[in-house]
Amino acid sequence: MAIPNFLYKNNRVLLKELTKTDFKLRYQGSILGYLWALLRPLMMFAILYLVFGQLLKFGNDIPHYPVYLLIGTTIWSFFSECTSQGIQAIVNRGELLRKVCFPKYIVVVSATLTAVINLLINFIVIIIFALIDGITPTWTWLIVPIVLFELYMLSLGISFLLGAINVKYRDITSIWDVLMQALFYAIPIIYPISMIAETNTTAAKVLLLNPIAQVIQDARYCMATTKTDTSWNYLSESELIFKFIPICIVIIMLVWGSWYFRKKSKKFAEEI
Amino acid sequence: MTNQPNTTDINTPHNNEPIVISVKNVHKSFKLPTERAWGLKQAILNRFKGIKGYKELKVLNGISFDIHRNEFIGIVGRNGSGKSTLLKTLAKIYFPEKGSVEINGTLIPFIELGVGFNPDLSGRENIYLNGALLGFSNKEMDAMYDKIVDFAELRPFMDQKLKNYSSGMQVRLAFSIAIRAKGDVLLLDEVLAVGDAAFQKKCSDYFASIKGQQTVILVTHNMDNVIKYCDRAILIENGRIKLNGNPKEVAEAYNNLWNEQK
């Protein structure tokens, strides 16, 4: 495309301005403001901890269960916020797309970046929790950003793909809501995977092939307790090839999503 | 060139300047939904019923023209003639099915004033957001900022939220960004005549002053403005160029459109 020949740098400026606006307006008019970015996941954690940790005793055989649970709920909140904002982004910014020409992916990325900022804030809280709970920091903590990046790539891929379809078929938003409910229970966030393995080992293994589960379990393994069953160490040596399934899903989603989004983005202005 | 009979020979002072915009045989049509498939269910049902779900509407039907540097071009035509679609095609918001649009330089499109304006942001923040949307860096906006604010005469209000501006003030701010934005080509769709009499006088003076120094494409229904500012005008009717030439002749032809019908 010859014109508007916006430099890469100017796209970055636009991304920054849109993200700043999103973040600034998110908690507009609330007394606690940005604090809600912290309070919401913490409250979700408190409820889950009370019900499943204290009353149902899910985490009895897991050391540092509160931190273990908090890592799970925080990462889940991030994925949920990231995709729901990302999928809606193009439709929400429809007015803009009809009036100015700029790379459409910027809208999706800026919508998800607010979730990234919230995730970073929440991880500071997790670190504080971990230190209070008596966990000593190790070098494995440094792996956590890598797996979180992997999850962000998955979220972007999903947002690109479903966001593009959502322009024409708004059912996507509702379908995704339901799917997220199901996913929440299909991922060992509140329960340890060993509870599933007691009745059906194959089911437990299949559940761990989900990249979201892989990311959560890896983060827990690195930060909370090495007793976590990760996708990598839960599958046996003979199943080596399956260990690569989660990362393959992420790569496929990202490539497929970006390709589809690129293909459809020319027509967004007309179809919204 | 084929099928462009109505180009009157006109010697604008810019004929020797390089061509900045070259539009060649542009076709654009839209699929107008007859029974909108708003959801999966309707889409599937329509397929079963054998309903295509849309009919095709040809909006642009082979449009070709060139614009030289520093020309002030007026585009006129009645509602639904394809003006706005043409403008959006120039701005690369729409992509033509056939033909090509070539632009040498940066084009600053104002299809509407105040795109992306957010009522909960301050005047200052809105200027920078709007600038970013038009492809300007913060540094470039820093350079333009004072001129924009001065032209809008809104300096005391820059830290107020936009929702506390009167509608006239909002339009003034948006308009000031539009005309102070530094690009090679300025694209304005129906954005004259904003603000009170004093502000209008100011805009009018400004347009007179940039005439011949900036390429401007102006879409309007006001023939007085066409005659006053434009070096050349283009009349569009049913997606085709009906007349391309002297602003006075075009204005006359535009006014005659209604007489013809009677």
Side-chain angles (χ1 to χ4, degrees):
Chain A
M1 232 202 302
I3 296 296
N5 201 351
F6 297 157
L7 299 168
Y8 174 59
K9 190 185 120 214
N10 294 16
N11 286 341
R12 238 168 32 210
V13 172
L14 177 58
L15 182 62
K16 200 187 83 193
E17 285 290 327
L18 285 177
T19 311
K20 223 167 72 183
T21 310
D22 272 353
F23 194 73
K24 210 177 276 174
L25 298 180
R26 175 69 60 89
Y27 300 104
Q28 184 88 31
S30 67
I31 298 170
L32 294 177
Y34 298 145
L35 261 182
W36 281 114
L38 277 178
L39 284 177
R40 251 178 18 161
L42 275 181
M43 281 171 169
M44 180 182 164
F45 158 76
I47 295 165
L48 293 176
Y49 180 67
L50 203 67
V51 175
F52 295 98
Q54 294 297 311
L55 298 177
L56 294 173
K57 308 273 180 213
F58 270 26
N60 269 2
D61 40 3
I62 300 173
H64 303 293
Y65 183 69
V67 177
Y68 178 94
L69 183 61
L70 186 60
I71 291 172
T73 56
T74 304
I75 293 179
W76 173 256
S77 300
F78 163 71
F79 177 72
S80 152
E81 189 189 346
C82 207
T83 49
S84 70
Q85 298 291 335
I87 291 170
Q88 299 253 39
I90 290 292
V91 171
N92 285 347
R93 294 278 189 188
E95 264 309 293
L96 226 54
L97 299 183
R98 290 159 68 106
K99 303 286 159 58
V100 259
C101 164
F102 56 88
K104 315 285 184 274
Y105 73 89
I106 290 183
V107 169
V108 178
V109 176
S110 85
T112 55
L113 276 184
T114 313
V116 174
I117 297 169
N118 288 345
L119 177 73
L120 296 181
I121 299 171
N122 278 298
F123 255 87
I124 296 172
V125 177
I126 292 178
I127 291 172
I128 295 169
F129 258 62
L131 295 178
I132 292 172
D133 211 33
I135 300 174
T136 13
T138 57
W139 67 269
T140 54
W141 286 28
L142 297 174
I143 298 172
V144 176
I146 299 170
V147 290
L148 291 180
F149 180 76
E150 179 197 340
L151 185 63
Y152 183 53
M153 289 300 110
L154 176 72
S155 311
L156 272 185
I158 293 172
S159 300
F160 281 142
L161 180 69
L162 298 184
I165 302 175
N166 197 35
V167 171
K168 225 171 176 182
Y169 303 107
R170 307 283 163 95
D171 312 61
I172 292 295
T173 322
S174 313
I175 295 172
W176 186 247
D177 275 351
V178 178
L179 208 65
M180 285 298 277
Q181 284 290 327
L183 264 178
F184 180 76
Y185 292 105
I187 296 167
I189 297 170
I190 40 179
Y191 57 84
I193 196 72
S194 54
M195 282 180 86
I196 305 276
E198 275 167 25
T199 49
N200 190 335
T201 353
T202 322
K205 283 177 181 173
V206 171
L207 289 185
L208 281 177
L209 295 181
N210 179 340
I212 312 160
Q214 173 244 311
V215 168
I216 290 179
Q217 296 300 84
D218 284 351
R220 285 167 164 171
Y221 182 89
C222 294
M223 269 188 96
T225 166
T226 47
K227 279 189 162 181
T228 313
D229 295 309
T230 64
S231 306
W232 189 267
N233 63 25
Y234 197 69
L235 296 161
S236 60
E237 282 304 317
S238 60
E239 294 159 324
L240 182 71
I241 192 150
F242 291 104
K243 296 184 179 188
F244 293 99
I245 285 184
I247 188 73
C248 285
I249 294 176
V250 173
I251 293 168
I252 289 170
M253 278 311 297
L254 186 63
V255 172
W256 185 25
S258 319
W259 169 80
Y260 187 79
F261 187 86
R262 232 181 109 97
K263 201 179 91 176
K264 291 284 172 186
S265 64
K266 280 190 170 189
K267 290 263 181 178
F268 284 163
E270 297 167 34
E271 283 175 348
I272 285 173
Chain B
M1 218 178 280
T2 57
N3 203 19
Q4 292 294 331
N6 288 322
T7 306
T8 56
D9 268 324
I10 165 165
N11 284 317
T12 74
H14 311 288
N15 270 0
N16 298 326
E17 298 267 7
I19 291 171
V20 281
I21 296 184
S22 174
V23 179
K24 285 201 183 79
N25 195 27
V26 163
H27 287 257
K28 178 79 198 168
S29 56
F30 289 107
K31 289 172 179 171
L32 288 190
T34 41
E35 216 169 324
R36 183 59 164 123
W38 265 124
L40 281 172
K41 189 189 111 196
Q42 199 60 44
I44 293 164
L45 273 179
N46 280 353
R47 189 143 299 178
F48 272 123
K49 284 194 250 166
I51 299 174
K52 252 217 239 134
Y54 59 85
K55 68 173 188 222
E56 213 154 274
L57 181 75
K58 289 218 143 206
V59 184
L60 297 181
N61 237 323
I63 296 231
S64 309
F65 59 86
D66 290 334
I67 294 178
H68 297 268
R69 197 172 68 194
N70 294 342
E71 256 189 312
F72 205 122
I73 299 281
I75 295 181
V76 300
R78 44 180 145 192
N79 291 331
S81 60
K83 293 186 309 278
S84 291
T85 307
L86 175 62
L87 236 58
K88 287 190 175 182
T89 312
L90 290 182
K92 307 264 174 184
I93 297 168
Y94 292 162
F95 293 86
E97 284 118 41
K98 242 173 88 182
S100 68
V101 175
E102 262 179 64
I103 301 171
N104 300 313
T106 51
L107 180 137
I108 312 287
F110 284 91
I111 305 297
E112 194 184 276
L113 286 177
V115 171
F117 265 18
N118 195 308
D120 281 313
L121 294 178
S122 72
R124 183 194 311 274
E125 289 165 329
N126 270 304
I127 290 180
Y128 279 86
L129 179 60
N130 206 271
L133 280 168
L134 293 170
F136 291 110
S137 71
N138 281 359
K139 220 173 167 185
E140 287 168 305
M141 285 312 289
D142 286 337
M144 283 182 250
Y145 179 78
D146 281 323
K147 284 182 189 160
I148 291 171
V149 177
D150 286 338
F151 196 89
E153 298 167 26
L154 289 170
R155 193 167 287 280
F157 304 97
M158 288 328 286
D159 290 316
Q160 301 265 349
K161 281 185 181 174
L162 200 71
K163 62 182 174 190
N164 299 327
Y165 283 33
S166 75
S167 50
M169 285 157 73
Q170 290 189 19
V171 179
R172 254 158 59 194
L173 183 63
F175 188 75
S176 302
I177 300 174
I179 62 170
R180 281 299 175 186
K182 279 272 162 275
D184 298 325
V185 183
L186 192 59
L187 204 73
L188 298 167
D189 190 359
E190 279 302 336
V191 292
L192 290 174
V194 297
D196 50 24
F199 192 72
Q200 278 192 31
K201 168 83 172 58
K202 200 172 170 177
C203 296
S204 158
D205 290 348
Y206 179 77
F207 273 114
S209 77
I210 60 166
K211 190 178 162 168
Q213 280 149 48
Q214 159 105 50
T215 318
V216 183
I217 302 172
L218 176 72
V219 169
T220 182
H221 288 290
N222 186 330
M223 290 307 126
D224 292 339
N225 283 336
V226 171
I227 295 169
K228 201 154 120 201
Y229 302 121
C230 296
D231 299 313
R232 183 154 64 98
I234 296 171
L235 174 64
I236 295 184
E237 179 72 358
N238 295 327
R240 289 199 171 83
I241 293 184
K242 198 168 179 193
L243 190 61
N244 176 356
N246 187 299
K248 272 188 190 143
E249 286 170 34
V250 169
E252 212 169 288
Y254 175 83
N255 290 326
N256 282 338
L257 285 178
W258 279 269
N259 297 339
E260 274 171 31
Q261 256 178 353
K262 282 174 203 161

